[in-house]
Every structure is written in C-alpha cells, then in structure tokens.
C-alpha cells in the first residue's frame, strides 16, 4: 500500500502467506500465484523462494524476451514450480497447462482479466483437475470473488457497498 506521498507501507499479510504456502505445498503440480500490484508480486516471489521453491515473476516491467523465456521454462522445465504474476501481464493467449492451480492472492477489478487469467490452465492439453483458490481477508474481497463466480461485473460493487453502509447508519 502507498501513502499520499508515494511511500510504501507494508501490511501484515502473514495469514494470507500461510494459506498461499499451504496451497503450494499441497499441490502436486505447478502453481500460478496472481497478485494485482507489482510490489506485491516482487514480495511474493521473494517469500516463495525463501521457502525453497523455484519461482519466477511476470509483471509489466519484465521484457517480452524474458517473459517468453519464463513461460517456456514454466511449461517445459520440471524444476520451475511457481509462477508469480500480475494478471494483466499474462492473461491473454498463453497455455500454461503445466500448472493446475491458480491462487489469487488478492482480487482485481476486471472480470475479463480474471476469466482470461484462469483460462491459462483450463486449455486443451490439460490432463488433471484444476483448482482456483481465492484468498480473502475482507467482506469486500469476498464480494468481489463472489461476483466473479457469478460472472458479474464488479464495477459497481464499491458504490453498492457505500449505499448499503449508509442504509445502516
């Protein structure tokens, strides 16, 4: 999170991290972890590597050449276990069926990007069941995820929640 002056404030994500690491540990196949912000992607990459997993990251600043190398390695190299990504940097036109699990570390606002990112593992050639895990910590996050499940747009969710809170005030 950033304050009004652009300084980074790190929030305690211990419980989310515990869930993430548990999912990675229990997955028999590769895992894609999705986070909405570059700073979070970088911190997750560091944490996952610290736990001993081989991992790479994809976000907007990663060059096309490097992305192509990482995607190819992820799909074909058994050593690369975890891909941590910003969803917009990997949501269209990829086949990543070496993974069967996607973990959403936090929600994003685009239903289209959510669907496209999940489609990376649900492609022809996928041989195992897929698992989409959505880590939530607030009512608003839970409602975002529920709208995604219901294939609804999340654009008006915040305004809807403001209206509801005023009705109870």
């Amino acid at each position: 999170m950033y304050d009004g002056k652009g300084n980074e404030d790190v929030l305690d994500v211990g419980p989310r991290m515990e869930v993430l690491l548990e999912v990675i540990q229990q997955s028999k196949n590769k895992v894609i972890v999705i986070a909405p912000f570059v700073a979070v992607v970088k911190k997750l990459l560091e944490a996952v590597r610290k736990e001993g997993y081989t991992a790479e990251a994809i976000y907007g600043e990663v060059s096309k050449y490097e992305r192509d190398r990482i995607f190819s390695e992820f799909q074909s190299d058994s050593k690369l276990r975890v891909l941590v990504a910003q969803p917009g940097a990997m949501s269209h036109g990829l086949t990543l069926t070496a993974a069967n699990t996607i973990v959403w570390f936090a929600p994003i606002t685009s239903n289209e990007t959510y669907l496209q990112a999940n489609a990376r593992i649900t492609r022809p050639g996928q041989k195992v069941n897929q698992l989409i895990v959505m880590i939530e910590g607030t009512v608003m996050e839970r409602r975002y995820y529920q709208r995604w499940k219901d294939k609804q747009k999340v654009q008006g969710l915040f305004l809807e929640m403001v209206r509801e809170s005023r009705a109870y005030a």
Side-chain angles (χ1 to χ4, degrees):
M1 177 171 88
Y2 296 96
D3 65 16
K5 297 177 184 177
N7 298 315
E8 185 178 316
D9 284 332
V10 178
L11 301 174
D12 177 21
V13 294
R16 284 178 194 261
M17 189 59 69
E18 288 175 23
V19 171
L20 172 62
L21 294 173
E22 183 178 326
V23 171
I24 293 170
Q25 179 184 22
Q26 291 181 7
S27 178
K28 292 183 171 107
N29 296 307
K30 297 180 181 203
V31 177
I32 299 171
V33 180
I34 299 177
F37 305 108
V38 173
V40 177
V41 168
K42 290 177 179 180
K43 295 216 182 280
L44 290 174
L45 177 64
E46 181 182 314
V48 168
R49 284 179 171 171
K50 185 177 178 183
E51 290 295 316
Y53 296 105
T54 54
E56 292 283 355
I58 299 290
Y59 48 93
E61 299 166 18
V62 176
S63 72
K64 180 184 179 338
Y65 175 81
E66 187 65 5
R67 286 183 204 194
D68 290 346
R69 181 198 64 76
I70 291 169
F71 291 139
S72 177
E73 187 178 326
F74 185 77
Q75 193 65 3
S76 63
D77 184 351
S78 62
K79 293 177 188 168
L80 182 53
R81 175 115 161 88
V82 180
L83 179 63
V84 184
Q86 189 179 25
M90 51 88 45
S91 61
H92 289 280
L94 291 170
T95 297
L96 297 173
T97 53
N100 75 318
T101 301
I102 290 181
V103 179
W104 289 87
F105 196 75
I108 58 171
T109 57
S110 170
N111 190 42
E112 166 77 15
T113 301
Y114 168 78
L115 295 171
Q116 286 295 319
N118 288 340
R120 300 312 98 219
I121 66 170
T122 57
R123 318 242 334 140
Q126 181 59 271
K127 295 177 172 70
V128 296
N129 292 332
Q130 299 90 55
L131 176 65
I132 310 295
V133 177
M134 294 170 268
I135 301 174
E136 62 185 45
T138 67
V139 171
M140 186 163 195
E141 288 178 331
R142 183 175 301 122
R143 292 182 73 180
Y144 265 104
Y145 288 137
Q146 188 58 50
R147 285 196 175 213
W148 289 349
K149 288 179 192 175
D150 296 341
K151 296 186 174 146
Q152 297 176 13
K153 293 191 182 273
V154 294
Q155 284 178 309
L157 179 61
F158 181 72
L159 293 175
E160 181 181 306
M161 291 184 73
V162 168
R163 280 193 294 270
E164 287 176 6
S165 69
R166 288 180 181 164
Y168 294 112

